Every structure is written in structure tokens, then in C-alpha cells.
Amino acid sequence: MIEEVAERVWARPEFQAEYRRLLRRSIQEYVRVDGDMDEVGEGALVRLLQSATHFAGSTSAERKEAAYRIASCSWALFGVRYQESLRDPLYVIFGRLGNFPATQLLFRDLGEVTPGLRSMLPGEGLGKAIWMEIKSREMNNEVLVTAERILTLTDFQRRLWEALSTGRSATVTAPTSAGKSFALQYYLGSRLASAGDFLGLYIVPTRSLIHQVSTTLRGIAQELTGAEPQVVTVPLGPEDARMRSGIYVLTQERLQILLELAPSIRFDMVVVDEAQTIASDSRGIILHTVIERLYATGPTQFLFSSPTAANPQVFAGLFGLGGAQQIDEVESPVAQNLIFLDADTTFLRLVR
């Protein structure tokens, strides 16, 4: 039923015209266009939001993206003016998209605009049937990170978390903005919080990423454990680092040095970020070599993460990881606009 309604609405020229007007107005506001802007009236806004509730339940990636764009643009343009009227339809749209982090951000912002709304129950103005539909899906996307900490994830993040929870090796391919690093790093933090002797390894392709990843992991681990976590970024053996439990964040080159210094080191979980770099020249050879050495040390859970691999199953084949799971995601929970400007050849500060 939702698919049929979404198809009919999408085919209407009136909808397409109003949808384009909303997108143009959003871009005009963002780039601060001087002069007249596209007008989006209350009637058009209501019709667009009604359409988005159907698009969000569709199986079409194009219509799901349209639902997200309508919801996010409506909030950005009219959130302050119509906040009480917008919150319920946006709760339905993001809920049907499985994008509950966006819902949490929405209601946090509402609380900041009007403190009295902070105590309001999300979706309380909806009918029971729709509220139960969204709420049950939200509860299904909740994961227990620690005994005191529950995390609500997107549909893709939930699938990734469930795959990791089995203890089996896996490959994951998803757009950069899909949120795989967020789920993965919280999973590592939860393992660190629940085990007194967990040793993890996060392989990053470049030195510039070491600081970014290690800082994030330290913050997450401290949040979950309440203590200063051991996150090591140099090739120092566990004994020399006085580390019984912790996470290494290393490039393949630093990992190679670590394996020379501590050849018997064994990790409980190994994350290979940007795993597609294994196909590059010299750095790919080093990465291939160190993974083979890690695999030979004993049972370890591997996760190969890549944004672009066309055949992610090749990683499991390369290293003999029988039964490795494959998690693929093509949709992104966010949308972005690319703006191209033509500069005036004479007046360089002008664009057209």
C-alpha cells in the first residue's frame, strides 16, 4: 500500500515542483543568496511532509533520500517557527527510515530551543498504531553496550553490531557517511568494558588517522568504563606498555615493527580500516603480510571495512577466513549537495 501511494505521489508534477522549491530554498538559505528566494507555503510544507512519511516506508533508495531531504530541509528552514507541529511527522519519517540517531538529535535540539519540550515523549501526538510501529522499530535498534548504557542505532549499524556480536569474522562495505566507524568503535569500547583482558587492534592506512581514531576510542572507552583506557599508538609490546587490556591503533608499518618486537602477541579482535588499500603497491604488500602473521597466531575475529570494495568477499578468501559474514550497505543516512560555481574571469570575487 505504501509503495503504491509513494509511486502515485512521486509521479505528480505538482509534488516535483514543490519538492524542488523546498530544496532550492534550503540551498539559498545555506549560501545566503541575496534577493528573492523561493517561497514554501504552509500548505506545500504539509503536503511535502505527508509525502515523505510514505517515501520513508518505501523500498526505493531514491524515495528514501527524498524523505530524508524533505525532513531535514523542513527542520532547518521551519524548525523554530513550527517546532511543535513538525516534531511528530519528523519522528515518523526518521523512524520509518530507521534513522533514530537523527530523531535523538531532533529532540535534543527541540529541548534547547524550548526547555519545556524536553520532557515531551517523542511521537506522543501520533495515533497508537503509528506510534507503536515506530517505537517497536526503535526498540529493535537498541543495543546494550554496557549494563548501564543503551545505544540506539540506524538499521545498518544494528546489522553490523549483530554480526560482530556473533564473534565471527566479517567484511563490511558502506558509504563513508553510513556510520560504520561509530558503531564499530562503540563495539570495541563495549568489549573493553566487559572483559578484563581484551586486546584489540585497529589498523589505519595512514599516520594522520592514528590521532583521530585513538582520540575517539579513548573518549568512548572512558565513557563506558569510567576509567582511563589503554589506547596505544606506538609499536610497544603489552609487557613494555604494562597493558593487560586495551586497544592498539597502528598503521601497517607500525604493526610490522610491533610483530617483530612481540611475535607472540595475539589480539581478540582486529579491525582493518580502508581494507581496499591492500590492493595498492608497497603499503598493500605490508598490510597483506601483517594480516597473514596475525592470522597465524591463533583464533582472532577480523573485520575488513571498506567504502568502495566491489567484491568484499575477496578479503575472506585471501586469508582463509571460512564462514566470514558479509555486510553491505549502499544507502547513506545523510544527504549532501554539491555546488559548482563559475567565476567571473574579470571580477574574480564574483560568481555566476
Side-chain angles (χ1 to χ4, degrees):
M1 181 66 178
I2 285 182
E3 293 286 0
E4 294 177 8
V5 174
E7 178 68 28
R8 289 201 302 269
V9 172
W10 188 261
R12 294 187 62 189
E14 296 87 352
F15 162 76
Q16 293 293 340
E18 290 179 341
Y19 179 42
R20 287 193 297 270
R21 193 175 301 122
L22 177 69
L23 297 183
R24 285 198 303 267
R25 176 60 183 270
S26 176
I27 294 173
Q28 289 164 353
E29 291 278 357
Y30 180 75
V31 300
R32 300 178 183 179
V33 170
D34 292 330
D36 296 334
M37 293 188 180
D38 286 89
E39 289 294 330
V40 180
E42 288 187 21
L45 183 62
V46 169
R47 288 189 293 272
L48 287 167
L49 290 169
Q50 289 173 337
S51 302
T53 61
H54 297 297
F55 295 156
S58 170
T59 57
S60 165
E62 182 181 34
R63 294 186 182 105
K64 285 183 177 180
E65 181 182 337
Y68 178 86
R69 286 184 179 274
I70 290 171
S72 58
C73 289
S74 298
W75 177 247
L77 293 172
F78 306 107
V80 174
R81 191 189 313 175
Y82 302 126
Q83 54 179 276
E84 293 189 52
S85 302
L86 280 175
R87 61 190 184 90
D88 283 342
L90 295 189
Y91 181 68
V92 175
I93 295 166
F94 287 129
R96 285 181 171 170
L97 289 171
N99 193 345
F100 295 103
T103 303
Q104 293 173 339
L105 180 63
L106 164 70
F107 280 89
R108 185 195 71 184
D109 288 346
L110 278 172
E112 290 173 356
V113 174
T114 306
L117 290 176
R118 188 182 297 277
S119 60
M120 288 188 175
L121 182 67
E124 67 177 5
L126 301 170
K128 287 185 179 179
I130 297 179
W131 184 86
M132 290 181 66
E133 171 201 340
I134 305 303
K135 196 63 182 177
S136 62
R137 185 168 179 178
E138 181 179 4
M139 292 174 66
N140 191 54
N141 279 30
E142 292 178 348
V143 295
L144 192 64
V145 183
T146 66
E148 297 81 24
R149 181 76 160 90
I150 294 176
L151 205 60
T152 307
L153 305 174
T154 66
D155 289 355
F156 160 68
Q157 290 171 333
R158 172 66 182 181
R159 287 191 290 118
L160 175 57
W161 191 283
E162 288 179 341
L164 294 172
S165 298
T166 66
R168 293 162 52 195
S169 294
T171 63
V172 56
T173 301
T176 303
S177 55
K180 59 181 181 295
S181 295
F182 176 86
L184 175 57
Q185 290 165 2
Y186 261 95
Y187 181 78
L188 283 169
S190 72
R191 291 288 304 274
L192 198 60
S194 62
D197 57 353
F198 173 78
L199 200 60
L201 170 63
Y202 201 113
I203 306 175
V204 294
T206 61
R207 285 181 297 174
S208 60
L209 285 171
I210 289 179
H211 176 73
Q212 176 185 331
V213 173
S214 62
T215 300
T216 302
L217 283 172
R218 281 194 186 96
I220 290 173
Q222 189 162 17
E223 171 196 337
L224 300 180
T225 64
E228 184 68 29
Q230 283 272 42
V231 179
V232 180
T233 61
V234 293
L236 195 63
E239 292 183 1
D240 294 327
R242 298 180 180 178
M243 180 171 66
R244 180 168 171 261
S245 180
I247 301 173
Y248 281 87
V249 181
L250 303 170
T251 60
Q252 52 266 41
E253 292 84 2
R254 293 189 185 187
L255 175 58
Q256 189 176 42
I257 297 171
L258 174 63
L259 293 178
E260 293 296 331
L261 297 173
S264 61
I265 190 172
R266 192 187 73 78
F267 296 98
D268 297 290
M269 182 175 181
V270 175
V271 177
V272 185
D273 197 14
E274 303 288 341
Q276 76 278 3
T277 58
I278 203 167
S280 62
D281 297 329
S282 58
R283 305 197 78 187
I285 294 172
I286 296 173
L287 181 58
H288 189 284
T289 301
V290 294
I291 292 174
E292 282 190 328
R293 290 188 61 177
L294 291 171
Y295 181 69
T297 60
T300 299
Q301 182 182 20
F302 286 88
L303 177 71
F304 294 90
S305 174
S306 170
T308 57
N311 54 339
Q313 66 275 10
V314 71
F315 300 121
L318 274 174
F319 304 106
L321 302 175
Q325 306 170 88
Q326 182 174 327
I327 305 105
D328 298 326
E329 179 63 43
V330 296
E331 297 178 14
S332 172
V334 299
Q336 58 182 331
N337 298 307
L338 299 179
I339 302 174
F340 297 91
L341 302 176
D342 293 325
D344 190 293
T345 55
T346 305
F347 302 97
L348 300 180
R349 294 176 60 85
L350 297 179
V351 295
R352 57 175 182 269

